[in-house]
Structure formats: C-alpha cells, structure tokens
Amino acid sequence: MSYERKVIDIKDVRRQIDICKEIYEHVNSDGVTRLAMVDTYGCQQNEADSEKIRGYLAEMGYGFTEDEFQADVIVINTCAVREHAEMRVFGNVGALNHTKKARPDQIIAVCGCMVQQEHIAKKLKMSYPVVDLVFGPHELWRFPELLRQVMARKKRIFATENDTGAVIEGIPQVRKEGVKAWLSIMYGCNNFCTYCIVPYVRGRERSRLPEDIVREARELVAQGYKDITLLGQNVNSYGKDLDEPTDFADLIRMINGIEGDFIIRFMTSHPKDATEKLFKTMAECEKCAHQLHLPVQSGNDRILKVMNRNYTREKYIRQVELARSYMPDLVLTTDIIVGFPGETDEEFNDTLTLCEKVRYDAMFTFIYSKRVGTPAASMPDPFTREDKQRHFDALTELANRISGEKHAEYEGKTVRVLVDGETGKEEYNLSSRTNGGRLVHLKGDKSLIGQTVDVKITASNTWALYGEISI
Ligand code: SAH
Ligand code: SF4
Ligand code: F3S
C-alpha cells in the first residue's frame, strides 16, 4: 500500500444524520413539507452521489421536485470531464437568478467534480452570488453540517479543500424506484491518463470493504432490485488498497453467491489490468452479465503512450479475443477520444481500423476537451477544430454502421430480457435489456416490469432492438 486508506468514523457520519434531524425540526416547524431539487451531471458515480445527497435531504424532511421554482433547496451535482458539461452547468446556475428572485429564501448549492477545481470555485465565488454553498466530492459526507451553516449564518460557504479522499459508510441513500441500482465499490482514480481531470477531483483509489459491499448488494436484492451495476473509475483495481486483498473477480463471485434473481453489471474496466481471471469469473458466475465496457480511447500506439494508458493496440486486441473466448456472446462497448493533441490523420486511421476489427456493440465517442492542469493541456495541438470534427464524424458513422449491423444480427432470434420500465410511447410501451445490456423495446402490460421474459426480435436500428414477447 503506497498511501494510507482513510476511513471516516461511522460516529462522524451519524453526527451528520443528527444534524439532519435538527434541520428537520427547523424547516418543518410549521408542518409544511419543504421541497428539494437535485440535478445531476456526469457519470454514474455522480448519480450514486446524488442518491446520498437525496438520502440526507430526505432525513431532513424534504420532499423532491424537478421544478426549480418549487424548490426550497437546489443542489447541482456537476461533472468536469469535458468543457461542454461545465458550460451547461454555468448556464443553468446563471438561470437560477430567476428562481431565487421568485423565492428569496431558496438555498442554491453546487457540488461535484467541477467545483473541486480551484479556478471553478473561484469563478462561482466571484461571478455567481446566487450560489450559497459550494462543496467538492470529498465534503459530500458533511453536507448536512454545511447546509446548517448556510441556514444559520446566512452566509456563503465554500468547502473545496484539496484531499486524497476517504471511504465513508453509513450515508443514507434515496435510490430511484424500479429495477436498476448503482452500487459504488470504490472511489477515485490513480491512473492519471494525461487528458483526464478525474484523478485530480476525485482523489486516490480507495476500495470499500467487501463485506460492506456484499451487505449492500444483499439489501438491494431484498428490496427487489434486479439489475445491479458495480461502480468504480477502474473496477479492475478493486481491493489493491485493502489489508486483506480481495480482487474484483473475487468480489463478483461473492456477490454472485447472494441468493435471488438478479443481474450483476459493472463499469468501468481499464484495459491495462483486465485479467483472464476476471473473464473466467464472468463466464462462470451465472448472475454476471456478459457485458464489458472496455474503453480503448485510441487505436494508435503513439497516442496510447502519450495518453498514459499503459497498453498497446495489440495487447488490447488480445484481451478482447481472450474475453470473447470465455464469453462468445460478450457485448462489448468502448469510449474513444478523437483529436487528442497532435493526433494525425494516420494515427486516427488506426482507431478506425481497430474499431473495424473489434466491432463494438456500441461506442461512446468524444472530441478531446482541454482540461486545466492536466499534462495534455500543455501538449502542442496543431490541428484545427474542423480536422477534429471531420475525424469525429467519420468515427460516428463507422460506430453507427457497426452497431446497426450487430443489432440486425439479433433479428429473428429469441432473447431473454429483463423488463425495466415504460417508454412513454404507444406502439412499444415497455423497455427492457438483454443480458448484455442492449435495449429492447416491447409491447406489453406494465405488470411485466421487473420480470424476465423471452422475446423474439422483430426489428432493429443503430440504437435499439424491437421485439415481441414469446408465449
Ligand atoms: N474511468 C473511466 C472513464 C471516465 S471518463 C475509464 O478510464 O475508462 C469517461 C470517458 O470520458 C473516458 O473514457 C474518455 O473517453 C472521456 N474523456 C475523459 N477525459 C476527456 C477529455 N479531456 N476530453 C474528451 N473526452 C474525455
Ligand atoms: Fe480518467 Fe484514465 Fe482514471 Fe479513467 S482511468 S478516470 S480516463 S484518469
Ligand atoms: Fe464527470 Fe466526475 Fe464522473 S468529472 S465523469 S462526474 S467522476
């Protein structure tokens, strides 16, 4: 272990829950239920954090709304991964001037990855007086204390100290009702890919204890969740910081051992340390979905090296082959960045040929976005926005074509799906997912939600499959 694994004492978390009760007395003294709105940007980790913010707010007696004009407390949980996400947050925070004018007592909080960057916290302080409370991911566990300070002192609070982060148990959570649940197994990232802000804002890798994770998974199953996604920036590093090492494959096996009818998914896997043991475990554990999100980022060795990804194109391809040898039905998805500083036409072409070779079920493609303080931000970048857009368009076209072809292969086949919700559309009113996570639209009664059914695939396009329930 190269650094201390910090744990927040459970007593300190309980103190926060006591503060929730004090706030409850304060805001509910007139018997009127106050409302809160939590708006989330970014990845599933942020969704999971918002469930904790809602958990605390529920302890304080708040109900929830999605209408900012109705909210007494607004929390905006932000993402810093690309500039576009940050611009949207600034736009939306700016617009809250109107809601605050209509409700002068409204409390506006901005939290999450974005505010953990010094220049952003400063900008909020100087140019967005509408914001009352700013707190980074490391301070989320003391949200009640911070909110009480804002309420009591009627002054702005900024809590964004730099930190490596801790493991915190016992924060209440309000999850979305339904079939799917997020389950964080670790926090932070040690990889420092040269383009990425996450390690700077989320701190070092730290794992929850396996017994805490298994207990939570068991509770989720008992509550009726059927589709559990284990979350971490790189789940393959799970357990490296624990005194009694349990690796990610061991953890899957432990969760697979929980009685009940449910699916285990996970994200994200880093290709540098996805192991044969993991693929074998996935194949052997009947509850584990044959689904792998394995971000490749680029198909060119020079670019992979300057990205600090720690694998080569060949190693990546070998890994995919190995995974498929254990799971021939594996659904494979990826993330790709185009326009990394200095990426040439030829280098980009290697990404295209890799995608042709691997044939992903779906690809998430991004144009490189410069992040303050990362090594890539100071690398020479002679190519224009138009060059990058051209590459992006070519990659999107290829991704769509391959997804469309892969989806067409399902037509006429019968697949097992878990019905997970309603689409709001008349013709295909239900949505469902295959074991590999592909979206299937269905017609049927909504009492099927939460059930596993066999479906004959009748049509498909780039984004989804369409099916009929087989009787
Ligand atoms: N931990 C995950 C990814 C987290 S961020 C992993 O390593 O796979 C999700 C995706 O956003 C990344 O996979 C990457 O493709 C993209 N991304 C991250 N930083 C970016 C940047 N500066 N510009 C464009 N895309 C970026
Ligand atoms: Fe970012 Fe790389 Fe860590 Fe993923 S592994 S969060 S891309 S630094
Ligand atoms: Fe964004 Fe933070 Fe997730 S930067 S992608 S919300 S870890």
Side-chain angles (χ1 to χ4, degrees):
M1 231 197 301
S2 54
Y3 54 90
E4 189 86 11
R5 179 175 176 274
K6 261 198 297 179
V7 178
I8 302 286
D9 194 327
I10 189 79
K11 282 198 223 102
D12 293 335
V13 177
R14 294 211 182 103
R15 219 186 54 228
Q16 297 298 321
I17 299 173
D18 291 341
I19 296 173
C20 293
K21 302 271 171 350
E22 285 170 32
I23 296 178
Y24 185 96
E25 301 296 329
H26 174 66
V27 295
N28 292 288
S29 55
D30 56 2
V32 179
T33 302
R34 298 295 194 278
L35 295 176
M37 182 180 114
V38 182
D39 198 7
T40 313
Y41 296 76
C43 65
Q44 288 82 357
Q45 262 94 347
N46 250 20
E47 295 287 347
D49 282 352
S50 286
E51 292 175 348
K52 293 185 178 141
I53 295 168
R54 285 198 190 90
Y56 275 141
L57 286 164
E59 294 284 329
M60 296 171 199
Y62 285 94
F64 295 103
T65 177
E66 293 192 358
D67 177 355
E68 56 266 38
F69 282 94
Q70 297 295 321
D72 299 283
V73 175
I74 296 181
V75 183
I76 305 202
N77 190 6
T78 63
C79 169
V81 84
R82 284 172 290 275
E83 192 186 7
H84 178 68
E86 295 193 333
M87 298 312 285
R88 271 176 55 216
V89 166
F90 280 123
N92 291 349
V93 172
L96 295 178
N97 277 312
H98 301 295
T99 65
K100 195 140 184 171
K101 222 168 243 157
R103 302 178 78 97
D105 288 335
Q106 187 174 59
I107 295 175
I108 297 173
V110 182
C111 65
C113 296
M114 206 174 140
V115 308
Q116 195 62 43
Q117 304 170 95
E118 223 175 293
H119 69 284
I120 300 279
K122 208 161 162 194
K123 185 165 167 180
L124 286 167
K125 198 177 245 169
M126 307 305 281
S127 313
Y128 291 81
V130 73
V131 176
D132 304 290
L133 168 61
V134 170
F135 60 99
H138 303 305
E139 319 281 347
L140 187 151
W141 72 276
R142 23 184 231 114
F143 168 56
E145 174 187 335
L146 298 169
L147 185 63
R148 186 178 58 176
Q149 281 176 22
V150 173
M151 287 172 163
R153 296 201 236 145
K154 305 246 183 263
K155 73 170 214 190
R156 306 174 80 200
I157 304 278
F158 284 74
T160 55
E161 282 296 298
N162 216 345
D163 197 354
T164 51
V167 175
I168 305 139
E169 297 294 336
I171 301 181
Q173 279 157 281
V174 172
R175 292 188 151 94
K176 272 206 194 100
E177 280 178 32
V179 174
K180 292 184 197 176
W182 309 121
L183 175 46
S184 296
I185 63 164
M186 59 189 299
Y187 311 98
C189 182
N190 288 358
N191 292 321
F192 290 93
C193 302
T194 52
Y195 50 81
C196 185
I197 195 72
V198 171
Y200 301 88
V201 295
R202 286 266 170 180
R204 296 294 63 75
E205 263 167 23
R206 55 223 187 259
S207 308
R208 293 179 68 194
L209 293 175
E211 53 267 37
D212 288 329
I213 299 168
V214 170
R215 186 184 340 105
E216 193 171 336
R218 205 173 273 129
E219 283 164 13
L220 291 173
V221 175
Q223 287 161 16
Y225 289 101
K226 304 267 183 215
D227 190 321
I228 298 174
T229 304
L230 310 178
L231 298 179
Q233 289 301 345
N234 174 18
V235 291
N236 301 333
S237 292
Y238 175 79
K240 287 188 181 158
D241 56 331
L242 295 175
D243 289 336
E244 284 175 43
T246 303
D247 69 16
F248 182 53
D250 300 334
L251 184 71
I252 291 184
R253 212 175 270 285
M254 289 162 89
I255 299 173
N256 190 66
I258 297 173
E259 242 173 78
D261 183 19
F262 66 98
I263 296 173
I264 306 166
R265 304 184 197 280
F266 57 85
M267 66 189 305
T268 295
S269 260
H270 194 301
K272 79 177 162 65
D273 53 8
T275 58
E276 181 163 8
K277 180 178 172 189
L278 171 65
F279 303 146
K280 189 163 181 282
T281 306
M282 289 172 73
E284 285 172 2
C285 290
E286 72 289 353
K287 289 175 182 135
C288 188
H290 291 183
Q291 175 185 15
L292 191 62
H293 183 60
L294 198 64
V296 68
Q297 313 298 358
S298 162
N300 174 269
D301 282 344
R302 187 191 76 83
I303 295 291
L304 286 171
K305 199 163 171 56
V306 277
M307 283 179 164
N308 192 30
R309 291 290 289 179
N310 279 304
Y311 53 85
T312 59
R313 174 191 175 99
E314 269 325 296
K315 180 175 171 210
Y316 183 91
I317 291 172
R318 272 205 311 279
Q319 250 180 9
V320 168
E321 284 166 355
L322 190 61
R324 283 181 169 152
S325 73
Y326 281 100
M327 295 167 284
D329 59 345
L330 182 71
V331 167
L332 186 71
T333 57
T334 201
D335 292 343
I336 292 178
I337 297 177
V338 300
F340 186 83
E343 185 184 50
T344 64
D345 282 349
E346 291 72 33
E347 287 165 341
F348 168 70
N349 207 41
D350 285 344
T351 297
L352 291 180
T353 58
L354 177 115
C355 296
E356 285 278 14
K357 188 168 171 69
V358 173
R359 292 182 63 78
Y360 294 101
D361 291 82
M363 290 160 51
F364 301 89
T365 51
F366 309 101
I367 293 186
Y368 168 74
S369 171
K370 193 175 189 168
R371 305 287 70 207
V372 175
T374 60
S378 50
M379 292 180 189
D381 194 2
F383 296 100
T384 63
R385 175 81 202 182
E386 287 67 41
D387 293 325
K388 297 182 184 204
Q389 189 66 46
R390 190 165 40 78
H391 288 169
F392 183 79
D393 293 343
L395 187 63
T396 310
E397 201 185 305
L398 177 68
N400 290 347
R401 174 169 65 72
I402 296 174
S403 290
E405 287 168 4
K406 290 218 121 183
H407 282 168
E409 289 166 16
Y410 285 85
E411 287 181 31
K413 289 193 180 143
T414 297
V415 292
R416 251 192 159 208
V417 298
L418 171 65
V419 184
D420 59 14
E422 292 182 273
T423 59
K425 303 226 166 73
E426 212 171 289
E427 202 190 348
Y428 287 94
N429 59 322
L430 296 178
S431 71
S432 66
R433 296 266 166 188
T434 65
N435 175 285
R438 305 320 294 147
L439 175 64
V440 184
H441 293 297
L442 299 175
K443 295 172 229 198
D445 193 81
K446 68 176 186 192
S447 62
L448 289 170
I449 295 172
Q451 294 192 31
T452 303
V453 290
D454 284 329
V455 167
K456 182 162 182 201
I457 303 301
T458 51
S460 71
N461 59 31
T462 301
W463 297 277
L465 306 169
Y466 296 83
E468 277 168 18
I469 297 170
S470 319
I471 305 170

